[in-house]
Amino acid sequence: MDERGTTERVLTLLGLLQQRRTWSGPELADRLGVTPRTVRRDVERLRTLGYPVHAGQGVGGGYRLGRGQDLPPLLLDDEEAIATAVSLLAGAAAGTGDATLRALTKLDQVLPTRLRHEVRTLSGSVEFFGAGRTPVDPEVLMTLAGACREEVEASFDYPSGSSGSSVDTTRQRRVEPHRLVASDRRWYLLAYDLDRDDWRTFRVDRMTAVSARTWRFRPRAAPDAAEYVQEGVTSRVYAHQARFLVHAPAATVRAQIPPSAAVVRERGTDRCEVQSGAASLDAMLMHVLLLGHDFELLDPPELGTRCRALAEKLLSAAAAPSPGDRRAEA
């Protein structure tokens, strides 16, 4: 292989080492399409460049990217590294995007120990105001993101009642974390709950005492994270769920409904399906009615009865004489 191909492979190896805490030699060889001997040579190339790649033997061993005494060649001096890390911490807390969190976890992996305290001190002086996602502790995000990446169990305390309930009971939850998902309002964790033996969605801002455990797990077949979380927060948490066929393009309806309020699926070029939930069937009917598009009821069947009752009320209100008409008659 030519020098360019070797360089690309070594950079790919570095990216893999930043994605997960530990890789076995055969795993890396399979990902890179080379032999374990070539992997060992590429690891030595990274060490020559200043990246502290450690190798462990026996069960649980493998290659992992350690924290260096000096910054690896990221073309950042200490001041630039501090400024970058503080900006990413602030962005993660404010909910500026998933890319911010991914970049933060990568930088945190290689940030020298001597700089970490200064970064934490400076980031603690940042405040936010205005609209956006519910603020969360960036350290919690980093812990959960690391647990997802390294495929280790996580634990945290979580209230069992609804948000704001006076009867909330906080219990420790043990989970196999799968993905962090960001909505337009909040951060969520999709994880397999070991005590309830099922997939669950957790609000990150409601977690306390978050920690990553040392027990590794084999990933299970998981649902699509973004879709599962969105369906959960828009419909499954409510007493009533409904589906509508709206006669308008999906892009038009998505611009009218926040993603945290409903799931909108394309059904051709000029129609879409809207799935949502609410405390009452009447509330859901009013929401879809106010979109201003023709629509059909898909589910549940009893929604048709409520639709007719609501229509009768509107017709009755329209047929009643206006105050001006009553004064004219008098």
Side-chain angles (χ1 to χ4, degrees):
M1 179 176 290
D2 59 18
E3 186 63 28
R4 179 180 176 182
T6 300
T7 301
E8 291 176 349
R9 190 183 65 241
V10 171
L11 289 175
T12 301
L13 172 61
L14 177 61
L16 291 172
L17 291 172
Q18 290 177 334
Q19 289 176 18
R20 205 171 78 187
R21 183 174 180 82
T22 304
W23 292 85
S24 69
E27 284 179 327
L28 290 173
D30 182 63
R31 287 294 190 96
L32 297 171
V34 297
T35 65
R37 182 178 181 181
T38 300
V39 171
R40 290 193 294 271
R41 290 175 178 172
D42 289 345
V43 166
E44 287 303 320
R45 291 186 174 98
L46 287 176
R47 289 169 176 163
T48 301
L49 291 172
Y51 291 91
V53 182
H54 304 304
Q57 303 294 326
V59 178
Y63 295 102
R64 65 182 179 87
L65 186 63
R67 303 188 188 279
Q69 298 302 311
D70 298 303
L71 275 176
L74 296 175
L75 303 181
L76 297 175
D77 59 27
D78 285 3
E79 291 183 356
E80 291 171 335
I82 292 172
T84 301
V86 170
S87 297
L88 290 171
L89 281 166
T96 54
D98 299 337
T100 300
L101 181 58
R102 292 197 302 270
L104 177 59
T105 55
K106 285 186 178 181
L107 183 59
D108 184 72
Q109 180 76 13
V110 298
L111 195 68
T113 303
R114 68 176 186 276
L115 302 181
R116 294 174 64 82
H117 175 70
E118 187 170 355
V119 167
R120 298 301 185 270
T121 301
L122 289 174
S123 64
S125 65
V126 179
E127 299 289 343
F128 302 92
F129 68 92
R133 293 180 190 149
T134 302
V136 296
D137 185 347
E139 292 283 357
V140 171
L141 284 176
M142 290 170 60
T143 298
L144 294 174
C148 291
R149 181 188 65 231
E150 297 166 15
E151 298 172 355
V152 295
E153 292 181 11
S155 66
F156 48 84
D157 293 339
Y158 199 79
S160 58
S162 60
S163 180
S165 171
S166 60
V167 295
D168 283 355
T169 301
T170 299
R171 295 189 176 91
Q172 186 184 63
R173 310 295 283 266
R174 298 182 308 113
V175 302
E176 296 176 355
H178 177 59
R179 289 288 188 277
L180 281 165
V181 178
S183 75
D184 55 330
R185 298 174 58 193
R186 298 185 177 94
W187 284 96
Y188 297 91
L189 174 70
L190 174 62
Y192 193 85
D193 193 315
L194 294 170
D195 295 320
R196 289 155 179 78
D197 198 26
D198 199 5
W199 291 99
R200 289 289 189 271
T201 298
F202 301 95
R203 276 176 48 178
V204 176
D205 62 289
R206 301 185 72 194
M207 297 179 181
T208 56
V210 180
S211 65
R213 302 157 68 91
T214 58
W215 186 264
R216 295 191 65 182
F217 61 87
R218 178 173 296 179
R220 305 169 186 264
D224 180 271
E227 181 177 349
Y228 187 91
V229 172
Q230 187 183 18
E231 288 183 358
V233 301
T234 60
S235 61
R236 286 196 297 267
V237 296
Y238 292 99
H240 300 278
Q241 297 84 39
R243 295 186 301 119
F244 305 90
L245 184 65
V246 179
H247 293 224
T252 300
V253 176
R254 288 193 181 109
Q256 295 178 284
I257 306 177
S260 57
V263 178
V264 180
R265 300 185 178 92
E266 290 188 5
R267 292 293 182 263
T269 58
D270 58 353
R271 297 192 303 176
C272 63
E273 179 184 321
V274 175
Q275 177 182 337
S276 65
S280 70
L281 295 176
D282 287 354
M284 282 188 292
L285 282 172
M286 290 304 301
H287 288 160
V288 72
L289 182 64
L290 291 174
L291 294 176
H293 310 296
D294 293 337
F295 65 92
E296 302 171 31
L297 308 177
L298 297 179
D299 192 61
E302 59 267 25
L303 199 58
T305 302
R306 297 307 309 156
C307 189
R308 286 186 289 271
L310 183 59
E312 291 174 0
K313 289 182 181 180
L314 293 173
L315 289 172
S316 176
S322 66
D325 293 336
R326 287 195 293 268
R327 286 195 297 269
E329 293 174 359

